[in-house]
Amino acid sequence: MWADSLATVPVPVPEPTALALRYHFGNNVLWVVDTLVGLLVPGVILFTGWSARLRTWAARAAGGRPWMTLLLYVAAFVVLTSLATAPLDFYESFVREHAYGLSNQTLGKWLGDSIKALVLSSLVAPLGALFLYWLVRRSPRRWWLWSTAAALPLLAFVYLVVPIWISPLFNKYGPLDDKTLEASILAEARHAGIEGSRVFQVNKSVDTKAISAYVTGFGASKRIVLYDTIIEKLTPEEIRFVAGHEMGHFVLRHVLLGLAGTWLLLGISLYTIARVAGWLLSRYGTRFGFDRLDDPASLPLFLLVSSVVSLAATPLLLAGSRRLEHEADRFGLELTRSNHAAATAFVKLQQENLDIPRPELFYTTFRGSHPSLADRIEFANTYHPWTTGAPLVYGDRFHD
């Protein structure tokens, strides 16, 4: 049932098209631009004193009530910074994607999704800030420790509810239309030792022509999500490998590792802020317009330092991500034994998403969350220990 009759037929790595090379180069440039904007926007707001002026406005509007001042300040900050970056976001996610033939999204859908995201951010960010600044006031020396401890259950809650409540605000999720394919994937899940698994189809074709799949949630909300574009463009055998790869993330606890990594990075960021805040405030407090970290106007300071820490940690985090993705590939191959289907799925991923098979060191270091497509295709071509009777790395995870 799991054997691939074409396992020994190697699939060549296709050369990238000229269009894909231009798209890849442009994405690298935009990554640099996005990174600089992510540092410049809070930096300018902080060092020009605009943040302090925005806090003064919020205090007047709130009638001097500290908690209301903070809520108004953060909501206004989210709206203003979103408006400041909207032109760049519009170019990147709408204009450019249409120019390269990767988007089906209408202007109305783009605007609707952007407004929904802005409203959500404007509601959630002030509440999170209210708790954070309360801890800063209550424990000026250990606030970063208590914040990090509190963040773990909060992050777990976010991972739990996003698939159920947030994602459906932007796209329609439902069971697979192809019931035969759904039954085969569920049988594959049982073989992988996953009971009660759920597979969802999302109508991403209203937004994009690209193909993708992902795992999300944990516990009661865990699910495998397939773009309807991937169901349309891949064969059932290729889709089963993709699903097997995503099952690997569940079985190997990669979702929980991702949660732990996010939590650790947040803790490092908060600790760094706590260590450098005193020096920054003593040196630049007059310029900032505030001299205490518990002042709402310090929000861009939090964001600026966090962005620097995140940028510094990016190479290490991406290296870890590539390792997890490689092991998920191995799991999918051992589960399905569909070498040829896996390799052709990667080829289609390259062609449909305008990817290139062998990216340069810059991309790998700062943007590469997955192994290169060339490496994945070649691994799919050559990894088949079951043909020689060699033991499987994850053989003990499978159920007959």
Side-chain angles (χ1 to χ4, degrees):
M1 179 178 181
W2 310 104
D4 183 358
S5 60
L6 297 174
T8 59
V9 180
V11 175
V13 177
E15 292 300 318
T17 64
L19 185 67
L21 288 170
R22 289 198 301 273
Y23 184 67
H24 175 80
F25 176 77
N27 283 342
N28 281 343
V29 172
L30 286 173
W31 181 89
V32 174
V33 172
D34 288 338
T35 301
L36 291 176
V37 168
L39 296 172
L40 285 174
V41 168
V44 168
I45 293 174
L46 180 65
F47 281 91
T48 59
W50 291 350
S51 183
R53 289 193 285 273
L54 183 61
R55 178 254 294 132
T56 300
W57 165 84
R60 286 199 302 266
R65 290 170 292 181
W67 65 272
M68 182 59 72
T69 298
L70 179 61
L71 292 178
L72 287 177
Y73 169 87
V74 176
F77 182 88
V78 169
V79 172
L80 292 175
T81 54
S82 296
L83 291 175
T85 57
L88 178 61
D89 181 49
F90 177 66
Y91 170 73
E92 288 186 32
S93 61
F94 187 82
V95 175
R96 191 165 182 270
E97 292 299 289
H98 278 278
Y100 279 90
L102 290 174
S103 180
N104 292 321
Q105 195 173 51
T106 65
L107 180 59
K109 179 69 162 55
W110 184 88
L111 286 171
D113 286 352
S114 299
I115 292 171
K116 289 176 189 176
L118 178 58
V119 170
L120 282 171
S121 298
S122 300
L123 293 174
V124 174
L127 296 177
L130 195 64
F131 181 65
L132 173 63
Y133 279 86
W134 177 77
L135 287 173
V136 174
R137 287 193 298 271
R138 290 294 300 270
S139 180
R141 297 185 61 185
R142 293 286 183 267
W143 65 266
W144 64 270
L145 182 61
W146 311 131
S147 298
T148 301
L152 184 58
L154 290 175
L155 284 172
F157 178 73
V158 170
Y159 271 57
L160 183 67
V161 303
V162 163
I164 300 174
W165 300 107
I166 306 302
S167 296
L169 295 175
F170 299 90
N171 291 98
K172 180 181 178 182
Y173 290 75
L176 269 61
D177 293 334
D178 187 336
K179 296 305 177 184
T180 301
L181 177 61
E182 182 180 51
S184 67
I185 292 176
L186 293 178
E188 187 177 316
R190 289 191 292 273
H191 182 57
I194 305 174
E195 294 297 333
S197 59
R198 287 173 291 180
V199 184
F200 286 79
Q201 176 177 318
V202 56
N203 69 329
K204 288 297 289 185
S205 59
V206 301
D207 297 322
T208 183
K209 297 177 183 177
I211 60 176
S212 188
Y214 61 93
V215 296
T216 186
F218 69 95
S221 70
K222 68 179 181 182
R223 60 197 61 194
I224 296 171
V225 179
L226 303 175
Y227 282 22
D228 55 352
T229 53
I230 206 171
I231 295 173
E232 175 189 350
K233 296 176 181 179
L234 268 60
T235 68
E237 192 72 8
E238 291 166 346
I239 293 171
R240 282 193 290 270
F241 166 74
V242 171
H245 168 98
E246 303 302 340
M247 291 173 198
H249 286 308
F250 276 131
V251 174
L252 303 179
R253 304 184 185 279
H254 292 170
V255 175
L256 294 179
L257 286 173
L259 171 62
T262 302
W263 180 59
L264 178 61
L265 179 61
L266 177 62
I268 294 172
S269 297
L270 293 175
Y271 174 73
T272 304
I273 293 167
R275 291 300 300 267
V276 305
W279 175 79
L280 287 171
L281 290 174
S282 63
R283 184 176 178 86
Y284 299 107
T286 302
R287 192 169 184 177
F288 293 165
F290 61 89
D291 57 6
R292 292 173 57 89
L293 191 61
D294 61 356
D295 190 307
S298 67
L299 179 61
L301 187 151
F302 276 88
L303 296 178
L304 183 61
V305 175
S306 296
S307 295
V308 172
V309 172
S310 179
L311 180 62
T314 291
L316 181 61
L317 294 175
L318 290 179
S321 175
R322 289 193 296 273
R323 179 64 181 175
L324 298 184
E325 293 295 338
H326 176 70
E327 290 309 308
D329 283 348
R330 186 194 307 275
F331 185 94
L333 286 170
E334 292 187 352
L335 176 65
T336 65
R337 304 189 181 184
S338 298
N339 296 81
H340 191 270
T344 54
F346 290 136
V347 168
K348 291 179 181 179
L349 184 68
Q350 174 183 325
Q351 295 169 339
E352 296 293 335
N353 294 0
L354 290 183
D355 284 329
I356 66 171
R358 296 181 178 88
E360 68 289 336
L361 181 61
F362 172 83
Y363 176 91
T364 301
T365 302
F366 291 104
R367 298 184 57 217
S369 60
H370 291 62
S372 73
L373 283 168
D375 287 344
R376 300 179 83 180
I377 293 169
E378 290 165 356
F379 183 67
N381 283 333
T382 57
Y383 185 76
H384 36 72
W386 53 88
T387 61
T388 61
L392 305 181
V393 174
Y394 300 117
D396 61 335
R397 312 293 182 104
F398 305 142
H399 297 252
D400 294 332

